[in-house]
């Protein structure tokens, strides 16, 4: 009952926020996908403009399957845009495409937060797999010998690394959106009214990262209370 109450009061509200944020970004993208730009440039063309005007002539832009699967792959130096973004001339597509171009600029210009995020990815991958199993194992084994609780705390440390990764992701995403909007406005890709559509789409997308961090922080606090309560 104690474990359930912890989840109910600490984690569930953050999960509900995350679900709402995910639904909101989809509905916002859908709404502004119907707002076509007067410039009539596609998402792929918009991203290409941002890259070329910043001297990034070697970064490729490719089409990828799915919806809102857009991302920048630093390993292959490729911006991958989903079909609803790649070909569309909507304000939503242009905003998303330029956001991904913003990530390419971050890597090219050695933006500190994205370098930090890239550096902790290996530890995050390990932590995401081991954190919960270690916490559970530590709690169970602590019933036989209290010293085993150390295993649970190691699991919490692994989970905390994942939280740090999500925390660092926030400035990375906000900065990419800021770069995108500055480029769109500076290069006259959208009118002032159209730019509001791109801004709303990117703001909705940013909220999903805030919600994900809230869920992880709530989970981290819950794990700490579970482990300390089992001592």
């Amino acid at each position: 009952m104690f474990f359930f109450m912890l989840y109910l009061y600490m984690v569930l509200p953050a999960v509900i926020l995350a679900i709402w944020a995910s639904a909101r970004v989809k509905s916002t993208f859908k709404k502004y996908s119907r707002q076509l730009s007067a410039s009539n440039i596609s998402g792929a063309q918009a991203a290409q403009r941002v890259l070329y005007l910043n001297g990034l002539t070697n970064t490729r832009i490719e089409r990828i399957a799915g919806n809102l699967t857009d991302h920048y792959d630093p390993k292959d130096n490729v911006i991958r845009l989903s079909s609803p973004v790649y070909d569309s001339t909507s304000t939503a597509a242009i905003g998303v495409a330029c956001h991904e171009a913003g990530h390419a600029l971050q890597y090219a210009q050695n933006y500190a937060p994205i370098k930090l995020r890239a550096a902790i990815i290996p530890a995050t991958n390990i932590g995401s797999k081991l954190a919960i199993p270690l916490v559970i194992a530590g709690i169970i084994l602590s019933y036989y010998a209290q010293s085993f609780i150390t295993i649970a705390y190691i699991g919490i440390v692994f989970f905390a690394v994942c939280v740090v990764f999500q925390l660092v992701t926030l400035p990375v995403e906000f900065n990419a959106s800021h770069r995108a909007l500055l480029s769109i406005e500076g290069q006259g890709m959208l009118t002032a009214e159209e730019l509001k559509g791109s801004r709303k789409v990117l703001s909705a997308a940013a909220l999903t990262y805030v919600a994900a961090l809230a869920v992880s922080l709530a989970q981290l606090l819950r794990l700490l209370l579970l482990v300390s309560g089992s001592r």
Side-chain angles (χ1 to χ4, degrees):
M1 178 61 72
F2 175 66
F3 296 164
F4 174 75
M5 296 304 290
L6 278 179
Y7 182 85
L8 183 64
Y9 289 109
M10 296 180 60
V11 181
L12 187 58
V15 171
I16 293 173
L17 173 63
I19 294 172
W20 175 80
S22 178
R24 184 170 181 266
V25 72
K26 291 177 182 177
S27 63
T28 305
F29 181 83
K30 182 178 180 180
K31 176 181 178 180
Y32 290 100
S33 288
R34 295 191 290 265
Q35 184 187 46
L36 303 183
S37 62
S39 61
N40 200 38
I41 62 172
S42 67
Q45 291 171 330
Q48 197 74 71
R49 284 192 185 185
V50 175
L51 295 175
Y52 279 7
L53 288 177
N54 285 276
L56 302 186
T57 57
N58 295 324
T59 303
R60 304 194 314 277
I61 300 176
E62 298 178 351
R63 188 193 308 272
I64 191 174
N67 186 38
L68 295 178
T69 52
D70 314 271
H71 65 278
Y72 170 67
D73 183 351
K75 182 178 179 181
D76 295 329
N77 193 25
V78 175
I79 294 174
R80 297 191 173 96
L81 301 176
S82 60
S83 294
V85 170
Y86 191 98
D87 294 313
S88 176
T89 62
S90 69
T91 58
I94 291 172
V96 170
C98 290
H99 173 90
E100 299 307 330
H103 283 312
L105 294 181
Q106 288 173 337
Y107 275 95
Q109 297 171 3
N110 292 317
Y111 178 61
I114 208 165
K115 291 176 65 178
L116 175 59
R117 189 177 73 166
I120 64 177
I121 283 177
T124 301
N125 290 336
I126 295 173
S128 63
K129 295 180 177 67
L130 295 180
I132 301 301
L134 286 174
V135 170
I136 294 173
I139 291 175
I140 294 173
L141 291 173
S142 69
Y143 287 104
Y144 301 96
Q146 188 61 39
S147 59
F148 282 118
I149 200 67
T150 303
I151 297 175
Y153 280 112
I154 292 173
I156 288 176
V157 171
F158 276 124
F159 193 89
V161 172
C162 300
V163 174
V164 170
F165 175 82
Q166 291 185 323
L167 181 62
V168 175
T169 294
L170 290 185
V172 170
E173 296 299 329
F174 288 145
N175 178 261
S177 291
H178 180 67
R179 290 170 186 259
L181 294 171
L182 284 180
S183 296
I184 292 170
E185 184 177 22
Q187 297 173 33
M189 295 188 220
L190 299 176
T191 65
E193 187 62 30
E194 292 170 344
L195 187 62
K196 294 179 182 178
S198 290
R199 181 176 286 108
K200 288 183 179 179
V201 170
L202 295 180
S203 295
L207 184 59
T208 62
Y209 293 99
V210 174
L213 176 61
V215 171
S216 294
L217 286 171
Q219 285 279 28
L220 179 60
L221 182 56
R222 173 173 172 260
L223 291 176
L224 281 168
L225 291 175
L226 286 175
V227 174
S228 62
S230 66
R231 296 185 62 177

